[in-house]
Amino acid sequence: MQVVSVFFLVGVVFVPVGVVSLLAAQDVVEIIDRYDHACVPPNMTDNKLAYIQNETIPKDCTRTLTVTKEMKQPIYVYYQLDNFYQNHRRYVKSRNDAQLRDYKKSNTTTSCDPERFTADGKPIVPCGLIAWSLFNDTYSFTRGKDNLTVDKKDISWKSDREHKFANNVYPSNFQNGALIGGKKLNSSIPLSEQEDLIVWMRTAALPTFRKLYGRIYVDLKANDTIIVRLSNNYNTYSFGGKKKLVLSTATWLGGKNDFLGFAYLIVGGLCIFLAFAFTLLYLIKPSNAMPASNLLDFGSVWFDM
Ligand SMILES: *[C@@H]1O[C@H](CO)[C@@H](O)[C@H](O)[C@H]1NC(C)=O
Ligand SMILES: *[C@@H]1O[C@H](CO)[C@@H](O)[C@H](O)[C@H]1NC(C)=O
Ligand SMILES: *[C@@H]1O[C@H](CO)[C@@H](O)[C@H](O)[C@H]1NC(C)=O
Ligand SMILES: *[C@@H]1O[C@H](CO)[C@@H](O)[C@H](O)[C@H]1NC(C)=O
Ligand SMILES: *[C@@H]1O[C@H](CO)[C@@H](O)[C@H](O)[C@H]1NC(C)=O
Ligand SMILES: *[C@@H]1O[C@H](CO)[C@@H](O)[C@H](O)[C@H]1NC(C)=O
Ligand SMILES: *[C@@H]1O[C@H](CO)[C@@H](O)[C@H](O)[C@H]1NC(C)=O
C-alpha cells in the first residue's frame, strides 16, 4: 500500500498548491502594449527596414496606456519580444562565460564567433552574438505631471551579478563594428553592474519571452492615464518580430501564468485518481495481495499511455 499512500500524499499536496497558484494568477493585473507597428511613421509603414536602419529618422514614440484595474506597487516593467529565437543553436553558443567571469585569467574570446574581434583584431568584451544583440529600446513614464521613476536596480539575478559577471571586467571594443547590433555599454561600468546585459544574457528558451526592464514604486489607480515615451531603436523588423511593453503587478509566483496552476492540479488530480484506483483494485482482489512491484508495473502502464 506504500505506492498508494505516496500517490495520495502527492495529490493532497499538489491540488491545493494548484488552486492557490491559479487564484494568485487571477489577481495579477497586466497592461500589454504592442508598439513596433504603431511607432513607425505613417509614411514609412511599407518600408519599416528603411525606417529602423536610417539613423537620421528620430525613433521617439509616445504611447498612451489606460490602467484597467488598480495596480499596487511594485509594478514590473517588462519588454516582450515575439518570434525572437534566443535559443537558436548558433546564437546561444556565441558567448564566453569565462571571459565574463574573469577576463584577466581567461583572456579569451573563443566560441564568440562572429563577434570575437574588431576589424583591426582587438578582442571584444563582452564578446559574442548574444551580448552584441542587446536590446536597446528605452521607456520613460509620466502620469499627469508626475514622472514615474523606473528603478533599474536589482533587475538581474543576484547570483549572476555575484558569480557570473565580474566586477573587475569592463566592456571594451564593444559595439564598435560597422554593424551595430543593439545597446552600447558604458565602458567605465563593470559587467557586474550592467544589469540590462545580465538580464539579456540569461537567454530565453522560447521564442516569445519577457525580460525585466525595471520597477515602478507607485500605485496606479483604475483609469489612470500613463504616457509612455519610448525610443523605438531595436530592429525586430528584419525578422518579423514583435515588441511589446508590459506593465504587470506580480505575486509571489511571478506573473500572470496559469500554466503552473493547471499543471499542479492535473498531476495532483491524477495522483488521487490513481490512489483510489489502486485501492479499489486491492479491495476487489485482496486474496492476491498484490505486491508493491505489481502496483508499480501497473502505474508505469498508466504513465506510458
Ligand atoms: C515622413 O514624414 C516625416 C514627417 O512626418 C518626414 O520628416 C519624413 O521625411 C517623411 N519620410 C519620407 C520617406 O517620406
Ligand atoms: C534617411 O532619411 C532621410 C530623411 O528622412 C533621407 O533624406 C535619407 O536619404 C535617408 N537615408 C537613407 C540611407 O535611406
Ligand atoms: C591576452 O593574450 C594576448 C595574446 O596571447 C596578450 O597579448 C595579452 O597581453 C593578454 N592580455 C591580458 C590582459 O593578459
Ligand atoms: C520629469 O522628467 C523630465 C525628463 O527627465 C524632466 O525634464 C522633468 O523636469 C521631470 N519632471 C518632474 C516633475 O520631475
Ligand atoms: C539599437 O539597436 C539597433 C539594432 O537592433 C541598431 O541598429 C541601432 O543603431 C541601436 N540604436 C541605439 C541608439 O543604440
Ligand atoms: C559612464 O559611467 C560613468 C560612471 O558611472 C559616468 O560618470 C559617465 O557619465 C557614464 N558615461 C556615459 C556616456 O553615460
Ligand atoms: C473608470 O471609467 C469608467 C468609464 O469611464 C467608469 O465607469 C468607472 O467608474 C471609472 N472607474 C474609476 C475607479 O474611476
Side-chain angles (χ1 to χ4, degrees), residues 285-296:
K285 292 174 121 190
S287 52
N288 295 3
M290 259 193 288
S293 59
N294 278 8
L295 284 172
L296 273 179

Side-chain angles (χ1 to χ4, degrees), residues 52-55 59 132-138 175 179-184 231-236 238-239 243:
I52 200 75
Q53 287 171 346
N54 189 331
E55 304 236 315
K59 300 297 184 307
W132 176 78
S133 60
L134 177 56
F135 189 70
N136 65 355
D137 286 4
T138 60
Q175 220 71 273
L179 197 59
I180 307 294
K183 190 178 155 169
K184 298 195 164 130
S231 276
N232 183 35
N233 298 318
Y234 200 65
N235 182 0
T236 50
S238 57
F239 56 87
K243 297 195 282 189

Side-chain angles (χ1 to χ4, degrees), residues 35-61 137 230-235 237 243:
Y35 62 88
D36 57 291
H37 267 299
C39 285
V40 178
N43 58 358
M44 300 212 73
T45 44
D46 45 7
N47 202 351
K48 299 195 183 73
L49 264 181
Y51 154 78
I52 200 75
Q53 287 171 346
N54 189 331
E55 304 236 315
T56 65
I57 300 175
K59 300 297 184 307
D60 340 318
C61 176
D137 286 4
L230 64 88
S231 276
N232 183 35
N233 298 318
Y234 200 65
N235 182 0
Y237 305 100
K243 297 195 282 189

